Amino acid sequence: LVIHPAVFDFSVIVVPHDEFGEVVKAVVQLAHGSSPGPDLERELITYCRSRLSDIKCPRSIDFRDELPRHPTGKLYKRLLKEESEKLAASLKRREELAMDKISQAQADAMQTVRNRAIEISILATQQILTEQLDKDAATKLIDKSIQELPDNLH
């Protein structure tokens, strides 16, 4: 990365990954005139893969205006890693909240279907009792309502 014309400074850190355990992430300070974005990220990753083995190449790249350094010039890698971990935790939490909302919506929909099936069964039973519907017709009505239920509600 250090010899790519768009890169002024960079660091690599290792970040947790669900499938591989850990992967390489690059944090890049761009040279004057370069603009961050997904296209440049892909270009830099491709550039690395043309010169290094895949395992040594970053899977993702963060762009920073400036990398954190001590007055002596030493890079604060620990800060980069902590920031990356906080961001990953925040994204994971957002994903969990979104999944919770989806699960709740599915549960609500399933409860609505159950309630409708109960209403149909009650209606059929009431019609049998008031002799507006014979038992065979009521059974067919109930069977039909059961067939309309999603498979996981039978």
Side-chain angles (χ1 to χ4, degrees):
L1 281 175
V2 76
I3 59 175
H4 190 280
V7 176
F8 177 76
D9 194 8
F10 80 99
S11 178
V12 291
I13 56 175
V14 178
V15 294
H17 188 273
D18 291 338
E19 186 178 346
F20 302 117
E22 292 181 329
V23 293
V24 176
K25 176 186 207 83
V27 183
V28 173
Q29 179 181 344
L30 295 175
H32 183 69
S34 297
S35 298
D39 292 338
L40 182 56
E41 180 179 13
R42 281 189 295 275
E43 178 185 332
L44 293 175
I45 291 171
T46 301
Y47 181 81
C48 286
R49 287 194 175 145
S50 71
R51 288 161 176 76
L52 299 168
S53 67
D54 277 355
I55 198 164
K56 293 180 180 180
C57 293
R59 299 268 176 175
S60 62
I61 297 177
D62 286 348
F63 296 102
R64 302 281 300 268
D65 292 334
E66 192 174 17
L67 297 182
R69 291 192 176 274
H70 187 271
T72 62
K74 180 172 173 31
L75 183 66
Y76 285 122
K77 264 190 163 178
R78 180 182 48 81
L79 292 177
L80 294 174
K81 188 165 176 67
E82 287 172 0
E83 288 174 10
S84 182
E85 288 171 353
K86 284 179 187 175
L87 178 61
S90 173
L91 291 174
K92 186 170 185 152
R93 181 65 184 137
R94 285 182 187 176
E95 181 181 303
E96 289 170 352
L97 290 173
M99 293 304 293
D100 287 347
K101 286 181 181 179
I102 290 169
S103 296
Q104 185 58 48
Q106 288 173 335
D108 291 347
M110 288 171 39
Q111 188 59 47
T112 300
V113 171
R114 283 189 195 107
N115 290 345
R116 182 66 185 133
I118 291 169
E119 289 171 10
I120 291 170
S121 296
I122 291 171
L123 177 65
T125 303
Q126 288 173 340
Q127 289 178 351
I128 289 171
L129 294 175
T130 60
E131 297 179 5
Q132 294 175 3
L133 193 64
D134 65 37
K135 289 182 182 179
D136 289 336
T139 301
K140 287 179 185 177
L141 180 64
I142 292 170
D143 287 345
K144 183 180 177 201
S145 70
I146 290 172
Q147 288 172 354
E148 292 173 359
L149 290 174
D151 291 338
N152 58 349
L153 294 180
H154 289 220

